[in-house]
Amino acid sequence: MTDNTISSAVIIGAGIFGVSTGVQLARRGVRVTILNDGPPANGASGRSLSWLNSARMRSEPYHRLRMAGIDRYRTLFASHPDTDWLRFDGGLTWDADDERNEIDAAYRHEVSLAYDARRVSAADVAAVTPGLDARAITRQGAIFNPGEGWVDLPVLIGMLLEEFFALGGVVVTDQGAARVLVEGGRAIGAETATCGRFLGDAVVVATGPAVPRMAADSGQVIGDGTPIALLVQTKPLAHPLRAVLNTPRVAVRPAPGGTFSVDADWAADEGVKARPDGGYDIDDAVVDALLAEAAKVMEGNPKLEVASVGVGGKPIPGDGEPVVGGLKTIPGYYVAFSHSGATLGLIVGELLAYEVATGQEHPMLATFRPERFASR
């Protein structure tokens, strides 16, 4: 028994949004084909810090959506409590010791939303979470959010694909970039760079930083604030750090196998240069400096070694809010484009699949629709 108004769908992009949406549609009895220019998780999902949170300040609808996203991960965690790719060991954040320090305002805002938050000083931190060098925490103190966590998206995507295949889903990879086919004013499928045509009753574009450009090819404006991001994965290290750290100079999270994921905006700004051919040049000295910053906030200031470096666009809409839903001007054409792809990964797939399969708009996505940019 199905509740869908469509029988088939084509999804462009095999990151977390594309695969999550594909699984949800397949559960509803829709025949789904996912197209990707390379292997699954080869884009932004493969180089995401993947911190599960709704910390700091944002709009109320965005906060609610993120909390729903965390809820879905908690349900998943309940069936995989011993996994090393999904953990809820909390998050710790503090600001620089200057006039931009907003730790007090952030704490008060989180408390007003009943977001689980504890204000801690450097002297207190060891009592709430292990593995920190307390000397790194500024005099204004930090916020510990015990309900936050992290996920390894490539592992999650692989697990979701197992179910997707079991439900009859198809993934087509390594055919180059794809474009949406629009005929008679509606989306009818997609065509890959190798001229493969894949038809469906609906098309979902979930290509991370490429979403605005692809939508523009069909005449839709989506504001784009995508920066270049750099994520360093370390070699395994025996260390007690469990919480995700978001600090003035570096973000650090534990990862499977005793490794750590490390990033910072300044490192991407200073250490990555885009080449005309679409590739990137990476300054090894900046990567070393980033790892040194990570070591400063970790207990014992360990020597961190590079295992891999990921570089590419970090999907961020122009106004910072998610862009999810159908294009009003092109029936059958849907997009998913957002920062916080990890936190939203499961819930966006669920809600977008609901809209695609039923033809009805979900109220939680009301403020995130793509047409908001056209009015600007």
Side-chain angles (χ1 to χ4, degrees):
M1 187 75 173
T2 64
D3 60 356
N4 51 285
T5 60
I6 66 168
S7 62
S8 61
V10 177
I11 297 174
I12 306 175
I16 186 58
F17 284 163
V19 171
S20 176
T21 304
V23 170
Q24 291 284 346
L25 284 171
R27 288 175 182 172
R28 291 173 174 269
V30 178
R31 290 181 285 107
V32 183
T33 300
I34 298 177
L35 309 177
N36 204 52
D37 58 359
N42 68 327
S45 291
R47 54 177 185 272
S48 168
L49 187 69
S50 304
W51 170 30
L52 305 178
N53 78 95
S54 188
R56 299 286 184 151
M57 287 83 86
R58 58 184 50 81
S59 72
E60 185 176 345
Y62 193 10
H63 173 70
R64 289 201 307 269
L65 187 65
R66 290 171 75 113
M67 293 304 294
I70 294 172
D71 172 76
R72 299 306 189 269
Y73 279 106
R74 290 197 175 281
T75 301
L76 180 63
F77 184 66
S79 61
H80 298 81
D82 298 320
T83 181
D84 71 345
W85 53 265
L86 174 61
R87 302 298 304 170
F88 282 97
D89 293 321
L92 187 76
T93 184
W94 65 89
D95 289 351
D97 182 10
D98 58 30
E99 69 281 357
R100 296 168 296 176
N101 190 294
E102 295 182 335
I103 209 71
D104 184 61
Y107 173 71
R108 286 186 281 108
H109 179 73
E110 290 177 8
V111 169
S112 75
L113 298 172
Y115 188 68
D116 197 356
R118 303 175 189 176
R119 187 75 181 272
V120 295
S121 68
D124 301 328
V125 71
V128 297
T129 188
L132 272 292
D133 186 332
R135 296 173 298 178
I137 298 175
T138 50
R139 60 186 175 86
Q140 295 87 351
I143 300 171
F144 180 63
N145 302 109
E148 294 179 354
W150 60 269
V151 63
D152 188 276
L153 285 181
V155 175
L156 173 60
I157 288 169
M159 187 186 76
L160 292 176
L161 284 175
E162 291 181 9
E163 180 184 355
F164 180 69
F165 293 139
L167 292 170
V170 175
V171 176
V172 180
T173 61
D174 303 307
Q175 291 200 21
R179 68 180 186 90
V180 179
L181 293 173
V182 178
E183 292 184 6
R186 69 170 293 117
I188 64 162
E191 183 176 45
T192 68
T194 57
C195 299
R197 287 170 62 93
F198 302 85
L199 303 182
D201 300 320
V203 181
V204 176
V205 175
T207 51
V211 170
R213 175 185 55 75
M214 294 181 67
D217 290 342
S218 298
Q220 174 71 52
V221 176
I222 293 179
D224 187 13
T226 297
I228 299 300
L230 178 149
L231 184 84
V232 178
Q233 198 75 23
T234 75
K235 293 180 179 180
L237 172 74
H239 195 275
L241 181 67
R242 296 292 177 267
V244 180
L245 307 183
N246 188 10
T247 83
R249 289 285 293 173
V250 67
V252 184
R253 76 154 169 88
T259 65
F260 292 90
S261 297
V262 181
D263 79 359
D265 291 343
W266 65 265
D269 294 340
E270 298 176 16
V272 178
K273 302 297 181 185
R275 298 196 306 261
D277 64 2
Y280 300 94
D281 292 322
I282 303 170
D283 187 337
D284 291 339
V286 172
V287 172
D288 291 342
L290 178 62
L291 292 184
E293 293 289 349
K296 289 178 184 177
V297 301
M298 298 171 67
E299 180 182 293
N301 309 131
K303 179 175 175 54
L304 301 173
E305 298 181 79
V306 177
S308 64
V309 179
V311 177
K314 178 191 291 187
I316 299 181
D319 60 4
E321 299 267 304
V323 184
V324 184
L327 303 187
K328 297 294 188 185
T329 56
I330 309 176
Y333 191 138
Y334 297 82
V335 299
F337 174 55
S338 182
H339 186 35
S340 61
T343 301
L344 301 182
L346 297 179
I347 192 64
V348 161
E350 178 183 326
L351 301 186
L352 189 55
Y354 168 87
E355 294 201 346
V356 173
T358 67
Q360 302 176 40
E361 294 186 347
H362 195 286
M364 281 197 77
L365 298 178
T367 65
F368 305 127
R369 306 207 171 277
E371 64 266 17
R372 71 182 188 265
F373 293 100
S375 64
R376 298 173 189 176

